[in-house]
Amino acid sequence: RDSLLRTPDEHARLLELALQQASTSILIASDVADVKLLDHLKSHIVEALNRGVDVDLLWGFEGGGGGLDWMKKLAYEAKVAETEGKLRFNKSPAGCNARMVIWDEGEEFKGTVGSYNWLADRRNESKAGASLSVMITHPAILSSLAWCVAGIWAAPRSESQIGRAHV
């Protein structure tokens, strides 16, 4: 029961916490990327980049618009600021509905997978259970999820479309 996230507020708190606690990397996969939510997360993402955390944003489909331009602008700002961490994102829709977050805290990896759109603003939804996610700490499951994401990144249409803050 403690491993289930049921409300938009629970999801939002977990994402902010994951960005704050990530040691070296965090992947946030969502089927759309919404500028309003990205703006809300910007300070957390920048703090993570400044700590040397690599932040990967994977989005599947065009949403309300502006998400890709937002990512490009933040990547430029991170490059100019010479952050230790890298911001990576796909420059064209990945065409997937992946909805997960995977991050490391020291030697331990944590993650969550479910139906919540992590990069879409859904905090105004009040209905509990509209989106559900489950927390995962088992290394084999997290490894399988990471392999799935790697397959999405390596797909011919998206491999050459990954933006980087710096090489």
Side-chain angles (χ1 to χ4, degrees):
R1 191 166 185 86
D2 291 341
S3 65
L4 286 178
L5 303 170
R6 295 176 185 85
T7 68
D9 285 341
E10 289 173 343
H11 285 87
R13 279 193 302 274
L14 176 83
L15 183 53
E16 290 174 7
L17 186 66
L19 281 163
Q20 292 167 358
Q21 294 181 346
S23 298
T24 63
S25 65
I26 183 169
L27 161 78
I28 306 167
S30 184
D31 66 345
V32 295
D34 179 70
V35 172
K36 186 175 180 181
L37 184 70
L38 290 168
D39 279 340
H40 176 77
L41 292 173
K42 183 177 181 177
S43 64
H44 298 290
I45 293 171
V46 170
E47 287 173 14
L49 292 169
N50 286 334
R51 287 194 327 270
V53 175
D54 292 339
V55 178
D56 295 317
L57 304 175
L58 176 63
W59 55 280
F61 301 96
E62 294 289 338
L68 178 58
D69 289 336
W70 186 96
M71 291 178 215
K72 288 178 181 178
K73 183 176 183 229
L74 183 59
Y76 176 76
E77 292 171 6
K79 183 176 182 177
V80 169
E82 297 179 354
T83 61
E84 291 184 42
K86 297 177 187 120
L87 176 65
R88 294 182 290 245
F89 55 91
N90 47 312
K91 289 187 178 179
S92 64
C96 70
N97 285 322
R99 297 175 185 178
M100 69 181 83
V101 179
I102 301 173
W103 71 100
D104 66 327
E105 291 181 16
E107 298 292 318
E108 182 181 16
F109 277 84
K110 295 182 178 184
T112 182
V113 65
S115 61
Y116 187 75
N117 288 315
W118 293 97
L119 299 175
D121 191 8
R122 300 181 62 165
R123 287 169 290 147
N124 292 330
E125 289 182 6
S126 58
K127 186 176 179 182
S131 293
L132 292 172
S133 297
V134 62
M135 290 294 302
I136 301 166
T137 57
H138 194 282
I141 297 171
L142 289 168
S143 175
S144 294
L145 290 172
W147 275 103
C148 290
V149 170
I152 295 167
W153 282 118
R157 67 178 168 189
S158 63
E159 182 179 8
S160 64
Q161 299 297 321
I162 298 171
R164 290 194 170 90
H166 43 278
V167 180

Short mmCIF file of all heavy atoms in Angstrom, two decimals, residues 4-5 7-10 13-14 37 43 50 54 57-58 85 98 102 109 121 125 131 134-135 140-141 149 151 157:
data_model
loop_
_atom_site.label_atom_id
_atom_site.label_comp_id
_atom_site.label_asym_id
_atom_site.label_seq_id
_atom_site.Cartn_x
_atom_site.Cartn_y
_atom_site.Cartn_z
N LEU A 4 2.20 2.69 -3.52
CA LEU A 4 1.31 3.23 -4.55
C LEU A 4 1.18 4.74 -4.44
O LEU A 4 1.02 5.28 -3.34
CB LEU A 4 -0.09 2.62 -4.43
CG LEU A 4 -0.25 1.17 -4.88
CD1 LEU A 4 -1.69 0.72 -4.65
CD2 LEU A 4 0.13 1.00 -6.34
N LEU A 5 1.24 5.41 -5.57
CA LEU A 5 0.96 6.84 -5.66
C LEU A 5 -0.39 6.97 -6.33
O LEU A 5 -0.60 6.43 -7.42
CB LEU A 5 2.04 7.55 -6.48
CG LEU A 5 3.46 7.39 -5.99
CD1 LEU A 5 4.44 7.93 -7.02
CD2 LEU A 5 3.64 8.08 -4.67
N THR A 7 -2.58 10.18 -6.09
CA THR A 7 -3.07 11.53 -6.42
C THR A 7 -2.00 12.32 -7.17
O THR A 7 -0.81 12.04 -7.06
CB THR A 7 -3.45 12.29 -5.14
OG1 THR A 7 -2.26 12.56 -4.38
CG2 THR A 7 -4.45 11.51 -4.29
N PRO A 8 -2.44 13.35 -7.88
CA PRO A 8 -1.45 14.23 -8.54
C PRO A 8 -0.48 14.85 -7.53
O PRO A 8 0.71 14.99 -7.84
CB PRO A 8 -2.32 15.29 -9.20
CG PRO A 8 -3.62 14.59 -9.46
CD PRO A 8 -3.81 13.68 -8.28
N ASP A 9 -0.95 15.20 -6.35
CA ASP A 9 -0.05 15.78 -5.34
C ASP A 9 1.01 14.79 -4.88
O ASP A 9 2.17 15.16 -4.70
CB ASP A 9 -0.84 16.28 -4.12
CG ASP A 9 -1.58 17.57 -4.41
OD1 ASP A 9 -1.22 18.27 -5.38
OD2 ASP A 9 -2.53 17.88 -3.66
N GLU A 10 0.64 13.53 -4.70
CA GLU A 10 1.63 12.51 -4.32
C GLU A 10 2.67 12.35 -5.41
O GLU A 10 3.87 12.24 -5.12
CB GLU A 10 0.94 11.17 -4.05
CG GLU A 10 0.12 11.12 -2.80
CD GLU A 10 -0.67 9.82 -2.64
OE1 GLU A 10 -0.86 9.07 -3.63
OE2 GLU A 10 -1.10 9.56 -1.51
N ARG A 13 4.97 15.51 -5.44
CA ARG A 13 5.93 15.49 -4.32
C ARG A 13 7.05 14.49 -4.57
O ARG A 13 8.21 14.77 -4.31
CB ARG A 13 5.21 15.17 -3.01
CG ARG A 13 4.52 16.37 -2.38
CD ARG A 13 4.09 16.11 -0.95
NE ARG A 13 3.20 14.98 -0.78
CZ ARG A 13 1.88 15.03 -0.91
NH1 ARG A 13 1.28 16.17 -1.22
NH2 ARG A 13 1.13 13.95 -0.75
N LEU A 14 6.70 13.32 -5.10
CA LEU A 14 7.72 12.31 -5.37
C LEU A 14 8.71 12.81 -6.42
O LEU A 14 9.92 12.64 -6.27
CB LEU A 14 7.12 10.99 -5.82
CG LEU A 14 8.21 9.99 -6.18
CD1 LEU A 14 8.72 9.30 -4.93
CD2 LEU A 14 7.79 9.05 -7.23
N LEU A 37 4.18 22.76 -16.37
CA LEU A 37 4.80 21.90 -15.36
C LEU A 37 6.32 22.01 -15.43
O LEU A 37 6.99 22.02 -14.40
CB LEU A 37 4.37 20.45 -15.53
CG LEU A 37 4.94 19.57 -14.42
CD1 LEU A 37 4.29 19.89 -13.09
CD2 LEU A 37 4.79 18.12 -14.75
N SER A 43 13.44 24.99 -11.22
CA SER A 43 14.43 25.19 -10.15
C SER A 43 14.98 23.87 -9.64
O SER A 43 16.17 23.75 -9.34
CB SER A 43 13.84 26.01 -8.99
OG SER A 43 12.78 25.31 -8.37
N ASN A 50 23.21 21.43 -11.34
CA ASN A 50 24.33 22.07 -10.63
C ASN A 50 25.06 21.10 -9.71
O ASN A 50 26.25 21.25 -9.47
CB ASN A 50 23.84 23.29 -9.84
CG ASN A 50 23.51 24.46 -10.73
OD1 ASN A 50 24.05 24.61 -11.82
ND2 ASN A 50 22.60 25.30 -10.28
N ASP A 54 22.83 14.09 -14.06
CA ASP A 54 22.37 14.08 -15.45
C ASP A 54 20.86 13.90 -15.44
O ASP A 54 20.33 12.99 -14.80
CB ASP A 54 23.01 12.94 -16.23
CG ASP A 54 24.51 13.15 -16.44
OD1 ASP A 54 24.98 14.29 -16.35
OD2 ASP A 54 25.21 12.14 -16.68
N LEU A 57 15.05 13.77 -20.06
CA LEU A 57 13.62 14.01 -20.24
C LEU A 57 13.19 13.32 -21.53
O LEU A 57 13.65 13.69 -22.61
CB LEU A 57 13.32 15.50 -20.31
CG LEU A 57 13.79 16.35 -19.13
CD1 LEU A 57 13.52 17.83 -19.39
CD2 LEU A 57 13.14 15.89 -17.84
N LEU A 58 12.35 12.34 -21.41
CA LEU A 58 11.87 11.58 -22.57
C LEU A 58 10.38 11.84 -22.71
O LEU A 58 9.61 11.58 -21.80
CB LEU A 58 12.14 10.09 -22.38
CG LEU A 58 11.61 9.15 -23.45
CD1 LEU A 58 12.28 9.43 -24.80
CD2 LEU A 58 11.83 7.70 -23.04
N GLY A 85 26.11 18.64 -14.42
CA GLY A 85 25.22 17.63 -14.98
C GLY A 85 24.81 17.97 -16.40
O GLY A 85 24.94 19.11 -16.85
N ALA A 98 5.67 5.90 -22.52
CA ALA A 98 6.42 5.58 -21.29
C ALA A 98 6.09 6.62 -20.22
O ALA A 98 6.09 7.82 -20.49
CB ALA A 98 7.91 5.58 -21.57
N ILE A 102 13.13 7.14 -12.96
CA ILE A 102 14.17 6.27 -12.40
C ILE A 102 15.31 7.18 -11.95
O ILE A 102 15.75 8.03 -12.73
CB ILE A 102 14.70 5.24 -13.41
CG1 ILE A 102 13.56 4.34 -13.92
CG2 ILE A 102 15.81 4.39 -12.79
CD1 ILE A 102 13.96 3.40 -15.05
N PHE A 109 19.15 2.34 -6.62
CA PHE A 109 18.28 2.93 -7.62
C PHE A 109 16.85 2.78 -7.17
O PHE A 109 16.47 1.80 -6.52
CB PHE A 109 18.46 2.25 -8.99
CG PHE A 109 19.62 2.80 -9.75
CD1 PHE A 109 20.91 2.31 -9.53
CD2 PHE A 109 19.45 3.81 -10.67
CE1 PHE A 109 21.99 2.83 -10.21
CE2 PHE A 109 20.53 4.34 -11.37
CZ PHE A 109 21.80 3.84 -11.14
N ASP A 121 1.00 18.87 -16.64
CA ASP A 121 0.43 19.48 -15.45
C ASP A 121 -0.93 18.86 -15.14
O ASP A 121 -1.90 19.11 -15.85
CB ASP A 121 0.30 20.99 -15.63
CG ASP A 121 -0.05 21.69 -14.34
OD1 ASP A 121 -0.04 21.03 -13.28
OD2 ASP A 121 -0.31 22.90 -14.38
N GLU A 125 -6.16 18.04 -11.00
CA GLU A 125 -7.05 16.89 -10.89
C GLU A 125 -7.23 16.56 -9.41
O GLU A 125 -6.28 16.45 -8.68
CB GLU A 125 -6.47 15.67 -11.60
CG GLU A 125 -6.47 15.78 -13.08
CD GLU A 125 -5.93 14.53 -13.74
OE1 GLU A 125 -5.67 13.53 -13.04
OE2 GLU A 125 -5.77 14.54 -14.95
N SER A 131 -4.79 8.57 -11.78
CA SER A 131 -3.51 8.05 -12.24
C SER A 131 -2.87 7.30 -11.09
O SER A 131 -2.85 7.79 -9.97
CB SER A 131 -2.59 9.19 -12.67
OG SER A 131 -3.08 9.83 -13.82
N VAL A 134 3.39 2.84 -9.20
CA VAL A 134 3.92 1.99 -8.15
C VAL A 134 5.42 2.26 -8.01
O VAL A 134 6.13 2.42 -9.00
CB VAL A 134 3.65 0.49 -8.43
CG1 VAL A 134 4.32 0.02 -9.71
CG2 VAL A 134 4.03 -0.37 -7.27
N MET A 135 5.87 2.35 -6.77
CA MET A 135 7.29 2.54 -6.47
C MET A 135 8.01 1.20 -6.66
O MET A 135 7.48 0.15 -6.32
CB MET A 135 7.49 3.01 -5.04
CG MET A 135 7.03 4.42 -4.79
SD MET A 135 8.02 5.63 -5.68
CE MET A 135 9.65 5.28 -5.06
N ALA A 140 16.31 -5.89 -10.50
CA ALA A 140 16.02 -6.56 -11.78
C ALA A 140 14.89 -5.86 -12.53
O ALA A 140 14.95 -5.71 -13.76
CB ALA A 140 15.67 -8.03 -11.53
N ILE A 141 13.89 -5.41 -11.81
CA ILE A 141 12.78 -4.70 -12.46
C ILE A 141 13.25 -3.35 -12.99
O ILE A 141 12.95 -2.97 -14.12
CB ILE A 141 11.59 -4.54 -11.49
CG1 ILE A 141 11.05 -5.91 -11.10
CG2 ILE A 141 10.49 -3.69 -12.12
CD1 ILE A 141 10.02 -5.90 -9.99
N VAL A 149 13.85 1.83 -21.82
CA VAL A 149 14.10 3.24 -22.15
C VAL A 149 15.28 3.35 -23.10
O VAL A 149 15.26 4.14 -24.05
CB VAL A 149 14.33 4.07 -20.86
CG1 VAL A 149 14.82 5.46 -21.20
CG2 VAL A 149 13.04 4.13 -20.06
N GLY A 151 16.16 1.27 -25.30
CA GLY A 151 15.66 0.90 -26.62
C GLY A 151 14.92 2.03 -27.30
O GLY A 151 15.03 2.23 -28.51
N ARG A 157 14.63 6.56 -35.26
CA ARG A 157 14.04 7.89 -35.43
C ARG A 157 14.37 8.83 -34.29
O ARG A 157 14.23 10.02 -34.41
CB ARG A 157 12.53 7.80 -35.60
CG ARG A 157 11.83 7.33 -34.35
CD ARG A 157 10.37 7.31 -34.55
NE ARG A 157 9.79 6.60 -33.43
CZ ARG A 157 8.57 6.23 -33.34
NH1 ARG A 157 7.75 6.51 -34.31
NH2 ARG A 157 8.13 5.59 -32.30
#
